[in-house]
Amino acid sequence: MYFTERDLNKILTNLDALRSSVFPLVNPDNEIASRKQQNFPSVCLIGLGRCGSNIALDVASLVYNARNFYLNEFNNEEKQTREQEYRPMRWIKRSLNLSNTQAVKPVFLIEPLVMLGDLDKDIEGRIRFSHKGEKSGFLHDYTKMKIMDLSEVHAGGAGNAPILGQYLAKIILNKDTQRFANADWKHIHSYLIDSCGIKANQSRLYFYIFSAGGGTGSGMASEFGLAQQYAYMSKTFDTRMTGEDEGNRGHSFVFEPIFTSGICILPNISDHGVEMSEALHINAGRLLCKYLAEEWDFSYNFDNEDSSESSVMHRIRPWNAMMLISNDIMRYAEETDDGGIQHIDVNAMEKYANQYISQQIFNILTAQAVTTDYDENYFRRAGIDIGETIRLDANDLFMSLAGPVAVAYAESVIPGDSSNAERLKLFEKTGTGLNIDDLFFRSIDLPHFNKVTQAIEGISLLPIESGRYRETLASYVKNGYNAAELKDLHFFKNCSSVVSIVSLPKDYKLSYMDLNRLKSHLNSLFPNTTLKRYALVIGASANISLTTLIVKSPCLSDDFLTLIVAFIKRCFAKDNYRFDEQLDQAMLEFIRAEHFDEEALDKMLHEFENPAKILDTNWYAIKPMYEKKYRELIHNKDKFVSINDIRLSRDSVKKAIKYLREIYRHKISKTKVISLNPQTHKKATAE
């Protein structure tokens, strides 16, 4: 399915080349330091397309600045003043307590490896001449950031068509890496794909960041994810013993679990009466439909269960989980902040989304961070007892998160005076204590801007239409946080598992009562979860924050269903089904009905998606042009793939519906006590 380097020595050589560029020797004459092999960071961010690469660049910029503040003892006041103009920078400085030079400074020091990829040949120029590229030597100093220059395969973008982005990614990933003019690509390919999960590559978490509404990110991301999963899964079936010699001893395929996640930015559904581009909705719907079909095949399709290698390798899905973040975040944040939405420019709105996503990546990264990710003196200087943390490793995430995932997030400043943490009245619901009820409510509220902490809080994808959700939340607060009405929404009722990450400042102790209150809120709002996981992170932030990852049920939200149906109607539907509401109603019935009427669906849809519905008549000129490019770049005729072969089929739609039906019917039976001993009833006495 994809090109994978099989020669272990070549893989190790490529990894060493990448490692030497990521960790350049400061003092080459120091023989001891040069012999010490550096571990790759445990986390890698892969930003694809313009939107994805911008966000990944933002995260890299934030961690770079955080580390600089720490290592330079926060001396450069002029630089601080200049960077305060940038809102996400203000958030991280407040979050990391960077402005107070007297306090003990909790600092986020994890520096992920960052890979930026785009089908635009000018990606490097765009980054180099951006706001971040021109200041502070960031691009030169942040050696953990690499640009994937893929312009020799295609110099322009994907023309807002995911099928073209996917096809170009397929060409890139099928071509022998030795045949690329760009020498760096084989090093990056060996890191991302050939070596994932082996001992020589210590990275265990991979986050693919992309926009679902575009062509490049939406098309490339799942193809890159599939190539990585293909290489990873094929290793599990490779039972041949690798002959070890002195050169590769200890680096053979000693297998470790990896966790991969897509971080998917969904387009606005509606925006103050302004009609959004239909193509954005169709593109996002295609990605969601494709992902659900792949998830169904991998996780639930046991009709023809076959555990053989060929069967499993053709049922892989691109990621373990896909986090969904709506672009509407910026709109809701502005709506609740005195209105002035019409005065906000596009770049400011994009920064809101980038900031929210950066916050979530931060919290997930801190929850799983291993001590090797930090500066070796950090814990000693900060006075943090690492034994108090409850960490999520790649295996925890692997077991807990699957399918579509939404994020709920909120944070609070330390109650009272942090220097007198011992004397805080933690058991009071009012006064100086932490209001855990309010913190939890703000995490599931509509997205909003917290002026105290400079954070964007709220839920990343609304369960239902915003007006209805606002009313339901008001009722929830009015009834004393009684979740009776809220928990009936499919978003909460059909959730299979939740992962909660609590981040605390170094000197703050979360009371037993507060922790129990938090668990009580989670239990009442998510009545049918099979699994609840908790992580406690200490010392990574100056604020108290709560992140809750909501698993699988987000695919039943209004936005998710709207986007999938928009794609099916436009690219699959026959005749009038493309324009009237028959298909909309039928889709709801297909999900709700006791039995799935596949014949009724067959009558409404063509067998394959029709890309011409987006690309118009250009499709018939584009198809032979791109296929010629495939033949020219990949000389092996047996590996030729027609662009028609990657179209989604009616079967893909059926599998996506089956996945939605599965989640719609999710429920659990409460554990009951089973006893061999007969029940004895004590008689009540009147006395």
Side-chain angles (χ1 to χ4, degrees):
M1 290 171 71
Y2 300 96
F3 171 78
T4 308
E5 182 58 68
R6 298 287 181 181
D7 185 332
L8 180 59
N9 286 322
K10 275 188 184 176
I11 294 172
L12 295 177
T13 303
N14 290 339
L15 286 179
D16 285 341
L18 182 67
R19 188 183 283 107
S20 63
S21 69
V22 168
F23 302 104
L25 286 176
V26 181
N27 183 7
D29 298 329
N30 187 334
E31 199 176 325
I32 296 170
S34 62
R35 277 208 307 265
K36 182 186 174 186
Q37 191 182 64
Q38 290 275 8
N39 285 346
F40 284 113
S42 62
V43 178
C44 176
L45 308 181
I46 302 112
L48 296 170
R50 190 188 68 84
C51 179
S53 56
N54 282 351
I55 292 166
L57 187 64
D58 260 1
V59 178
S61 169
L62 294 178
V63 295
Y64 167 79
N65 282 303
R67 193 177 185 92
N68 269 5
F69 277 118
Y70 172 68
L71 296 176
N72 298 333
E73 295 298 324
F74 314 98
N75 282 335
N76 196 341
E77 292 296 326
E78 183 186 346
K79 185 174 160 190
Q80 282 190 48
T81 308
R82 192 167 67 247
E83 284 173 346
Q84 264 184 328
E85 297 166 7
Y86 181 41
R87 195 171 233 162
M89 197 58 228
R90 288 214 305 273
W91 171 77
I92 195 162
K93 286 174 69 178
R94 292 285 290 268
S95 173
L96 304 177
N97 209 9
L98 300 178
S99 55
N100 185 353
T101 54
Q102 303 305 313
V104 174
K105 301 164 190 67
V107 181
F108 181 95
L109 294 177
I110 298 164
E111 288 192 340
L113 209 54
V114 178
M115 303 288 180
L116 307 180
D118 198 353
L119 290 174
D120 180 356
K121 67 178 177 183
D122 200 31
I123 178 173
E124 189 157 0
R126 173 164 60 82
I127 291 165
R128 199 164 298 286
F129 294 107
S130 68
H131 170 60
K132 296 178 194 63
E134 290 180 336
K135 68 174 186 183
S136 71
F138 163 65
L139 281 183
H140 178 265
D141 293 343
Y142 196 77
T143 53
K144 293 184 180 72
M145 190 180 77
K146 300 295 171 193
I147 295 172
M148 297 187 276
D149 184 354
L150 308 169
S151 58
E152 66 189 86
V153 171
H154 190 71
N160 203 37
I163 194 165
L164 299 184
Q166 185 187 343
Y167 194 63
L168 288 164
K170 202 171 264 296
I171 295 174
I172 291 162
L173 295 163
N174 269 297
K175 189 179 177 186
D176 187 331
T177 54
Q178 303 294 331
R179 294 178 177 271
F180 272 80
N182 180 2
D184 290 341
W185 172 241
K186 63 175 179 284
H187 306 149
I188 293 169
H189 188 278
S190 277
Y191 166 77
L192 272 184
I193 292 164
D194 304 328
S195 68
C196 56
I198 73 169
K199 190 175 179 182
N201 178 355
Q202 297 81 23
S203 297
R204 295 289 172 257
L205 276 85
Y206 298 86
F207 293 93
Y208 291 78
I209 310 167
F210 58 93
S211 166
T216 302
S218 183
M220 283 178 72
S222 65
E223 204 66 26
F224 268 68
L226 284 169
Q228 188 180 50
Q229 288 291 312
Y230 175 77
Y232 182 76
M233 294 294 288
S234 62
K235 292 190 196 86
T236 65
F237 289 103
D238 189 358
T239 53
R240 293 172 297 125
M241 292 298 290
T242 308
E244 288 196 352
D245 54 33
E246 287 304 316
N248 69 15
R249 185 171 298 280
H251 291 296
S252 60
F253 293 128
V254 178
F255 219 47
E256 293 288 345
I258 64 168
F259 174 78
T260 68
S261 175
I263 297 181
C264 171
I265 296 93
L266 299 176
N268 301 355
I269 298 293
S270 57
D271 191 357
H272 285 270
V274 178
E275 193 62 37
M276 296 300 295
S277 166
E278 189 188 21
L280 297 179
H281 297 158
I282 295 166
N283 291 349
R286 182 183 193 273
L287 176 101
L288 300 179
C289 184
K290 180 176 183 289
Y291 179 67
L292 288 196
E294 288 161 340
E295 263 296 322
W296 169 260
D297 259 348
F298 188 86
S299 304
Y300 294 106
N301 189 1
F302 301 122
D303 293 344
N304 299 304
E305 189 171 0
D306 181 359
S307 59
S308 69
E309 179 179 355
S310 60
S311 169
V312 173
M313 295 307 290
H314 284 88
R315 289 193 289 116
I316 54 175
R317 78 297 202 218
W319 313 287
N320 301 95
M322 180 166 71
M323 292 179 200
L324 303 165
I325 296 177
S326 171
N327 237 346
D328 278 329
I329 282 169
M330 303 83 74
R331 181 161 67 87
Y332 299 128
E334 284 301 325
E335 272 182 348
T336 53
D337 190 17
D338 308 325
I341 184 74
Q342 65 271 30
H343 305 300
I344 301 300
D345 68 82
V346 174
N347 290 330
M349 290 182 74
E350 191 172 274
K351 282 177 184 173
Y352 266 129
N354 291 8
Q355 178 184 337
Y356 184 87
I357 295 158
S358 300
Q359 289 168 191
Q360 306 326 317
I361 294 171
F362 267 39
N363 282 284
I364 295 161
L365 300 197
T366 50
Q368 66 75 49
V370 292
T371 51
T372 53
D373 285 330
Y374 285 87
D375 178 89
E376 58 187 14
N377 297 315
Y378 172 59
F379 294 103
R380 179 175 54 77
R381 289 185 194 172
I384 294 167
D385 181 0
I386 192 69
E388 292 182 350
T389 62
I390 303 171
R391 199 172 67 82
L392 293 174
D393 61 22
N395 211 23
D396 290 319
L397 295 172
F398 184 87
M399 302 301 284
S400 309
L401 302 180
V405 173
V407 182
Y409 178 76
E411 62 178 64
S412 291
V413 295
I414 304 176
D417 182 1
S418 60
S419 62
N420 298 318
E422 298 79 17
R423 284 177 278 169
L424 284 176
K425 298 175 181 177
L426 293 176
F427 296 98
E428 288 185 6
K429 287 188 180 179
T430 57
T432 57
L434 171 67
N435 187 340
I436 202 80
D437 298 338
D438 180 61
L439 182 69
F440 182 77
F441 169 73
R442 282 187 282 116
S443 75
I444 60 168
D445 195 5
L446 280 86
H448 55 276
F449 189 66
N450 185 328
K451 291 178 180 175
V452 179
T453 64
Q454 302 287 301
I456 297 169
E457 303 178 328
I459 203 152
S460 67
L461 183 71
L462 295 192
I464 51 175
E465 185 273 324
S466 59
R468 287 176 59 205
Y469 190 52
R470 217 184 288 273
E471 289 172 13
T472 310
L473 286 172
S475 171
Y476 173 66
V477 176
K478 184 181 175 184
N479 295 329
Y481 303 103
N482 181 346
E485 186 181 353
L486 206 55
K487 73 178 182 184
D488 278 340
L489 299 178
H490 293 295
F491 192 88
F492 302 117
K493 182 172 74 173
N494 300 86
C495 173
S496 62
S497 63
V498 291
V499 176
S500 277
I501 301 166
V502 179
S503 183
L504 300 175
K506 180 176 75 75
D507 293 324
Y508 185 78
K509 303 288 185 187
L510 189 69
S511 78
Y512 178 71
M513 296 287 282
D514 281 340
L515 189 59
N516 270 1
R517 189 85 182 137
L518 175 61
K519 289 183 177 179
S520 172
H521 282 308
L522 288 166
N523 287 332
S524 59
L525 189 59
F526 301 98
N528 293 313
T529 49
T530 314
L531 183 69
K532 290 187 182 75
R533 296 300 309 269
Y534 301 93
L536 185 64
V537 182
I538 298 171
S541 164
N543 294 330
I544 300 159
S545 75
L546 170 67
T547 301
T548 305
L549 303 172
I550 301 157
V551 181
K552 290 184 181 171
S553 57
C555 68
L556 301 177
S557 68
D558 288 6
D559 282 12
F560 197 102
L561 292 177
T562 301
L563 291 169
I564 276 197
V565 174
F567 163 66
I568 294 169
K569 278 181 78 168
R570 187 74 170 126
C571 296
F572 273 101
K574 298 175 181 175
D575 308 323
N576 284 338
Y577 293 122
R578 287 173 56 201
F579 307 108
D580 59 30
E581 292 186 6
Q582 290 181 77
L583 185 54
D584 300 17
Q585 296 306 314
M587 283 291 291
L588 298 177
E589 186 58 27
F590 292 146
I591 296 167
R592 290 188 188 126
E594 193 62 35
H595 299 287
F596 178 19
D597 187 350
E598 295 188 34
E599 289 182 8
L601 186 72
D602 291 340
K603 290 175 185 173
M604 294 179 167
L605 306 185
H606 291 290
E607 189 175 352
F608 293 100
E609 69 168 311
N610 185 354
K613 299 298 180 189
I614 289 193
L615 295 164
D616 205 24
T617 51
N618 289 326
W619 168 246
Y620 302 103
I622 286 168
K623 182 180 173 296
M625 182 174 72
Y626 277 68
E627 289 184 347
K628 180 172 173 56
K629 179 173 283 195
Y630 197 113
R631 285 190 173 96
E632 286 176 347
L633 290 168
I634 297 165
H635 304 294
N636 185 347
K637 290 179 182 177
D638 296 336
K639 295 196 82 173
F640 176 73
V641 176
S642 166
I643 201 166
N644 277 340
D645 297 340
I646 66 167
R647 289 176 302 168
L648 298 191
S649 67
R650 194 162 53 205
D651 266 357
S652 306
V653 176
K654 289 178 182 176
K655 288 170 183 174
I657 292 171
K658 287 175 182 176
Y659 186 91
L660 293 167
R661 286 172 58 83
E662 182 74 27
I663 308 307
Y664 182 78
R665 283 158 180 73
H666 172 78
K667 56 187 176 184
I668 58 170
S669 55
K670 304 290 184 186
T671 305
K672 295 178 182 176
V673 175
I674 298 172
S675 175
L676 287 168
N677 300 300
Q679 296 283 340
T680 55
H681 300 285
K682 292 182 180 179
K683 293 180 181 177
T685 55
E687 292 80 28

